[in-house]
Amino acid sequence: MKIRNLLMVGLFCFGLAFVSCSKDSCKECTGCKTLPTATLCEDDFEKTSNFNDQVANYESDGCTCSTK
């Protein structure tokens, strides 16, 4: 019984560590008309859609955004 509980706790901790890992998805946007050069990372935004919207905003300003 103790081994089973230990295994369950171990799997829970592993799952928690896996979920909390950073996405490390960054885009470097350069060559903009009016916006400053920026590095945008998905981890800096509350939602992925907010990150995608900001990248689209930079691209609509004429920036070239490439994966960093």
Side-chain angles (χ1 to χ4, degrees):
M1 188 72 166
K2 288 183 179 183
I3 293 175
R4 182 177 180 191
N5 289 342
L6 186 60
L7 181 62
M8 293 300 287
V9 169
L11 287 173
F12 176 77
C13 290
F14 177 75
L16 185 63
F18 182 75
V19 168
S20 66
C21 290
S22 66
K23 299 168 190 154
D24 253 358
S25 175
C26 295
K27 294 204 178 251
E28 188 164 353
C29 299
T30 58
C32 308
K33 293 177 186 173
T34 59
L35 295 172
T37 297
T39 300
L40 306 172
C41 293
E42 191 171 345
D43 289 343
D44 296 336
F45 294 88
E46 191 173 316
K47 298 178 183 177
T48 300
S49 61
N50 294 345
F51 167 73
N52 292 334
D53 290 345
Q54 190 63 20
V55 171
N57 182 44
Y58 269 78
E59 289 176 335
S60 70
D61 190 57
C63 302
T64 301
C65 296
S66 57
T67 302
K68 184 175 179 187

